[in-house]
Amino acid sequence: DIQMTQSPSSVSASVGDRVTITCRASQGISRWLAWYQQKPGKAPNLLIYAASNLQSGVPSRFSGSGSGTYFTLTITSLQPEDFATYYCQQASNFPFTFGQGTRLEIK
Amino acid sequence: QVHLQQWGAGLLKPSETLSLTCAVFGGSFSDYYWSWIRQPPGKGLEWIGEVNHGGRTTFNPSLKSRVSISVETSKNQVSLNLSSVTAADTAVYYCARAFLTNWFDPWGLGTLVTVSS
């Protein structure tokens, strides 16, 4: 299985800050990577697919980059509704696997 | 707008079989793969497997010996069965559509399944 490792596991930030979360794959996955946001008690919500494509309806302050084994999710100008847990997911090989999550907390 | 509605038993005893169903409303059913994904309380996400409208399936090897996923095209429904459950199978189970290729969107609301004697 391809292992996905996110860092940091948690991060504290303030409204208006810029935050970057990283995701590393244990082997190359080209650009077969997605990012999801999950709020407590809710299902995950697709933010970014194919490493850098913004899903319809997702605010433009979210952006993704990377290829191969290293990927980033950047949120510029954090809004109160952005405080949540974020997961990366590889879609290159079966079984599809997720990172362990990064919890974004209010400072 | 695609909407996924899921249901099934929420409390099981060890060794019983977990059975969940996901109904798809709106949009095309036959053009996509449909996945099941689970999340133990307070933990991360684990992909269980997928099925297409023709019944073609792929499973996570970690669960392959105990899992089956089926489709009822006439009702736009997919079903998950997981046999011989233990406490380690306690989780919120989600159904999700494979968007474009293997990105999951949308997701069902999730069903909490607890395994306890």
Side-chain angles (χ1 to χ4, degrees), chain B residues 68-85:
Chain B
S68 65
I69 298 176
S70 59
V71 60
E72 189 161 357
T73 307
S74 63
K75 295 183 178 180
N76 285 6
Q77 291 179 359
V78 296
S79 294
L80 168 71
N81 281 351
L82 182 67
S83 64
S84 304
V85 298

Side-chain angles (χ1 to χ4, degrees), chain B residues 13 15 19 33 37 41 49 61 66 77 83 93 96 111 113:
Chain B
K13 291 181 168 51
S15 80
S19 294
Y33 276 78
I37 297 159
R66 298 193 291 129
Q77 291 179 359
S83 64
Y93 287 75
T111 301
V113 178

Side-chain angles (χ1 to χ4, degrees), chain A:
Chain A
D1 298 4
I2 297 176
Q3 184 163 353
M4 307 301 292
T5 304
Q6 291 181 229
S7 61
S9 295
S10 65
V11 57
S12 295
S14 301
V15 173
D17 284 354
R18 172 189 175 107
V19 168
T20 296
I21 298 168
T22 67
C23 178
R24 292 182 185 270
S26 60
Q27 65 188 71
I29 59 171
S30 186
R31 294 175 59 81
W32 291 99
L33 186 103
W35 289 97
Y36 299 86
Q37 176 193 68
Q38 186 178 34
K39 296 182 179 179
K42 302 294 187 182
N45 181 51
L46 177 66
L47 300 175
I48 302 282
Y49 63 93
S52 62
N53 292 81
L54 196 66
Q55 174 65 331
S56 175
V58 175
S60 59
R61 62 180 180 273
F62 292 91
S63 64
S65 67
S67 66
T69 62
Y70 183 77
F71 302 87
T72 62
L73 171 70
T74 298
I75 314 170
T76 58
S77 188
L78 275 170
Q79 298 301 300
E81 61 267 29
D82 299 338
F83 293 94
T85 299
Y86 293 85
Y87 293 94
C88 60
Q89 174 235 330
Q90 66 82 15
S92 174
N93 289 17
F94 290 114
F96 305 134
T97 48
F98 295 83
Q100 82 279 15
T102 295
R103 185 173 179 181
L104 175 54
E105 301 174 316
I106 300 175
K107 185 182 290 185

Side-chain angles (χ1 to χ4, degrees), chain B residues 12-15 38 40-41 84-91 93 113-117:
Chain B
L12 297 174
K13 291 181 168 51
S15 80
R38 70 180 183 178
S84 304
V85 298
T86 69
D89 295 310
T90 294
Y93 287 75
V113 178
T114 302
V115 180
S116 174
S117 56

Side-chain angles (χ1 to χ4, degrees), chain B residues 59-68:
Chain B
F59 301 121
N60 191 323
S62 68
L63 296 167
K64 188 174 183 178
S65 63
R66 298 193 291 129
V67 69
S68 65

